[in-house]
Amino acid sequence: MVKGEGAEQYSASSLLPKKTSQDGIKIAKRRDESGRLSVCSKLCYAIGGAPYQITGSALGFFLQIYLLDVAQLDTFYASIILFVGRAWDAVTDPTVGFLVSRSRWTRCGRMMPWILISTPFAVLTYFLIWYVPPVEQWKVLWYLIFYCLFQSLQTCFHVPYSALTMFISMDQKERDSATAYRMTAEVLGSVVGTAIQGQIVGGAITPCLPGDLEVLDNGNTTLLGSDVSISHISLDETKRAYLIASAVICVMYVLCAAVLFLGVREQEECGRLKTEPMSFFEGMRMVMGYGPYVKLVMGFLFTSLAFMLLEGNFALFISYTMGFRNDFQNILLVIMLSGTLSIPFWQWFLTRFGKKTAVYIGITWAVPFMILIVCIESSLIVAYVVSVAAGVSVAAAFLLPWSMLPDVVDDFKVKNPDSSGHEAIFYSFYVFFTKFASGISLGISTLSLDFAGYVTRSCSQPDAVNLTLKVLVSAAPVVLIFLGLLIFKTYPIDEERRQGNRKLLQAMRDSNQDSDTESTELGSVV
């Protein structure tokens, strides 16, 4: 640049090519293309969520009854395995979330390497959960080790997958649409998991032992007059059926992970500010100090605990309290089918009436039916009707948390524009609390059955066990649902605030993209 009399003064901006209306259209098109997802991408993303629900439904509905009636563990040891496994799973979630948030960007993204590497090991440990070791004294340790290992490896899959929602598109509507696809696939995954496990195992139902129940001096209940040898062959067939079902689920796990990896492109957010990595405890303070997030998580914590109690004890309730031992797998399947068919309805409902309204209507829908099923005499027709109604609420409980978490993350970004890269921490702590609640529900419910006098493989149970099962599938879930809704009433992000955040974030991204574009053009000229 030359200085002197009559010399023209140039500024940096004058070196930039002048933007025409055509350039503006091209930039707008690029932004639209970067945010819009194809149906194929949404489907591949949704399929990636199926393994978590396929294995989760199989474990949630069948692991308790498997440990008690097939592996023939004492109820106390079964409760220890279920609680420690889920509690360990809960602890690993924020740890993995913290590690994911500090992961470097690779050619296939930041989340995908976690998903890809964890899959084969998760599949192996899942299969070994459903194997009964021949050495009796090693059973408890066997199930505890492989259950904890599987939960850890699945966390390495699910936490990055959950955070992937924020990286498949920068457009809020596209993320909501992808979440609806995902929830449909996940509920369908629950159907598939329940169907595979239920129908294969249902073909070789664990035989019960007839006999009279007698209460011993120490308060325990034992079975008199039964011949264990008559059902030994049938028990072996049941064990093989569980192994076959787990092998099929393992194959589906790998296929779904492959579809996700090959069909979804992880996007590095444009204009993302590079911040210094924070420590684990700094991340925890950041997340737990953000009011809207805490209220959302605590509200769904109670409602999730309600449905987990129902899920974990419904098979036993149907088998023993209602007396439909040969039909429980079909009733569970109806719940999942009803939930799958209800997902599109709830997606339309939350778009039309708002997410908070969908929470109130969707979660409370099952309450009258939970009360109904324990207040009338055993009826197979009523059991199926209740299953259909429960499935509708299960669909809402599946869809709404994952649809509302991105809103909280967006709200945090608006309030903290200089902070970025913390999506995995928000998602992992939510999963932490729900899984910890699941561990508490399984541990407490199994211990409650132990105190009530549950008898392994008996064709009938004491009255105290039947009463306990009624409380676990009806009274306790109803109370927890209302507590959750009371907390959720204080949740501050309504539709007006959500739409306002969407516009502010879009303006911030447009500003950052314009700055990046101008910097690139200036660099090319210089």
Side-chain angles (χ1 to χ4, degrees):
M1 185 178 293
V2 181
K3 292 183 180 180
E5 186 178 355
E8 185 176 359
Q9 301 295 315
Y10 292 93
S11 64
S13 61
S14 67
L15 294 174
L16 294 174
K18 293 188 179 294
K19 293 182 180 179
T20 64
S21 59
Q22 189 68 24
D23 293 331
I25 293 173
K26 290 180 180 179
I27 293 172
K29 285 183 177 179
R30 284 202 303 271
R31 289 172 186 162
D32 181 65
E33 290 172 358
S34 66
R36 194 173 298 278
L37 294 172
S38 67
V39 173
C40 181
S41 295
K42 292 177 184 178
L43 286 173
C44 291
Y45 167 71
I47 289 171
Y52 181 75
Q53 297 301 335
I54 292 174
T55 56
S57 62
L59 291 169
F61 282 125
F62 294 94
L63 184 58
Q64 184 185 52
I65 199 169
Y66 167 82
L67 293 176
L68 294 175
D69 289 354
V70 180
Q72 299 184 31
L73 297 181
D74 183 79
T75 49
F76 175 76
Y77 292 121
S79 67
I80 294 297
I81 292 169
L82 293 171
F83 174 73
V84 172
R86 297 300 285 180
W88 172 256
D89 183 25
V91 170
T92 59
D93 278 295
T95 306
V96 171
F98 170 72
L99 295 174
V100 169
S101 68
R102 297 173 68 94
S103 299
R104 295 183 180 275
W105 187 270
T106 67
R107 285 192 306 169
C108 54
R110 195 170 69 175
M111 308 297 166
M112 286 297 184
W114 287 84
I115 294 170
L116 187 64
I117 294 172
S118 65
T119 295
F121 300 103
V123 165
L124 176 62
T125 53
Y126 178 81
F127 180 80
L128 292 175
I129 290 174
W130 302 102
Y131 174 73
V132 180
V135 182
E136 186 71 26
Q137 57 266 34
W138 290 101
K139 280 185 179 180
V140 176
L141 190 60
W142 174 279
Y143 291 117
L144 188 60
I145 289 174
F146 285 110
Y147 189 39
C148 289
L149 280 175
F150 171 71
Q151 298 290 12
S152 299
L153 291 165
Q154 193 182 48
T155 296
C156 293
F157 182 105
H158 188 61
V159 168
Y161 173 77
S162 300
L164 189 62
T165 307
M166 304 301 296
F167 296 94
I168 58 175
S169 174
M170 298 303 110
D171 186 85
Q172 189 183 78
K173 288 185 177 179
E174 289 298 304
R175 292 202 306 260
D176 284 346
S177 177
T179 299
Y181 275 78
R182 171 191 167 186
M183 292 301 107
T184 302
E186 289 195 357
V187 177
L188 186 59
S190 297
V191 173
V192 172
T194 306
I196 291 173
Q197 194 83 5
Q199 298 306 311
I200 293 178
V201 173
I205 294 176
T206 308
C208 64
L209 300 178
D212 298 325
L213 297 173
E214 181 182 22
V215 179
L216 303 178
D217 294 336
N218 59 6
N220 293 331
T221 307
T222 188
L223 194 64
L224 299 178
S226 61
D227 186 0
V228 178
S229 62
I230 63 174
S231 61
H232 178 72
I233 297 177
S234 297
L235 182 59
D236 288 339
E237 291 176 354
T238 303
K239 292 178 182 178
R240 282 195 296 272
Y242 272 100
L243 285 176
I244 293 171
S246 65
V248 173
I249 288 176
C250 286
V251 172
M252 298 195 67
Y253 194 116
V254 173
L255 291 176
C256 291
V259 170
L260 173 67
F261 181 75
L262 297 174
V264 176
R265 186 174 67 87
E266 189 177 341
Q267 299 180 10
E268 188 172 12
E269 185 175 353
C270 298
R272 178 184 291 278
L273 297 173
K274 305 299 181 185
T275 58
E276 292 296 324
M278 62 174 61
S279 69
F280 176 80
F281 293 104
E282 287 175 339
M284 185 171 66
R285 284 196 300 269
M286 175 196 72
V287 168
M288 299 313 299
Y290 193 60
Y293 178 79
V294 173
K295 292 173 182 177
L296 180 72
V297 169
M298 293 305 294
F300 279 121
L301 177 66
F302 281 96
T303 57
S304 298
L305 182 56
F307 285 102
M308 288 172 188
L309 278 175
L310 180 65
E311 176 189 273
N313 296 281
F314 203 59
L316 291 173
F317 176 78
I318 293 296
S319 298
Y320 293 114
T321 305
M322 298 196 73
F324 303 127
R325 185 180 181 86
N326 296 325
D327 297 286
F328 79 91
Q329 70 273 11
N330 297 323
I331 294 174
L332 298 179
L333 184 59
V334 169
I335 294 177
M336 295 294 99
L337 283 173
S338 173
T340 303
L341 297 175
S342 301
I343 285 286
F345 166 77
W346 288 119
Q347 176 62 21
W348 168 84
F349 190 94
L350 66 86
T351 304
R352 177 69 176 82
F353 299 102
K355 296 181 180 181
K356 288 188 71 171
T357 304
V359 168
Y360 292 128
I361 302 298
I363 300 298
T364 57
W365 171 259
V367 170
F369 298 95
M370 289 180 180
I371 298 172
L372 175 66
I373 198 169
V374 298
C375 292
I376 63 172
E377 294 184 3
S378 296
S379 169
L380 189 58
I381 295 176
V382 172
Y384 278 109
V385 171
V386 171
S387 299
V388 172
V392 176
S393 278
V394 167
F398 265 74
L399 173 64
L400 291 167
W402 298 111
S403 179
M404 298 173 78
L405 271 173
D407 299 338
V408 174
V409 176
D410 286 344
D411 193 75
F412 179 83
K413 287 181 178 180
V414 170
K415 299 294 189 299
N416 302 272
D418 296 331
S419 181
S420 63
H422 312 312
E423 294 84 358
I425 299 177
F426 277 95
Y427 280 84
S428 63
F429 270 97
Y430 171 74
V431 178
F432 163 77
F433 284 113
T434 55
K435 287 184 176 179
F436 192 76
S438 174
I440 292 175
S441 69
L442 287 171
I444 290 178
S445 61
T446 310
L447 275 177
S448 299
L449 293 175
D450 182 36
F451 294 145
Y454 180 87
V455 182
T456 300
R457 295 181 62 196
S458 172
C459 291
S460 61
Q461 295 293 337
D463 292 338
V465 171
N466 292 325
L467 177 61
T468 302
L469 287 171
K470 287 182 179 181
V471 171
L472 292 173
V473 303
S474 180
V478 169
V479 172
L480 290 168
I481 284 173
F482 281 112
L483 286 175
L485 293 179
L486 284 175
I487 295 173
F488 193 79
K489 193 171 179 62
T490 63
Y491 177 68
I493 302 178
D494 53 17
E495 289 304 300
E496 181 180 357
R497 180 166 167 178
R498 189 171 72 89
Q499 294 299 330
N501 287 342
R502 184 177 67 86
K503 293 176 182 178
L504 287 171
L505 286 172
Q506 187 60 49
M508 292 165 61
R509 293 189 186 106
D510 290 345
S511 176
N512 287 330
Q513 284 178 336
D514 289 341
S515 299
D516 292 344
T517 303
E518 290 179 359
S519 299
T520 303
E521 291 173 343
L522 178 58
S524 63
V525 171
V526 173

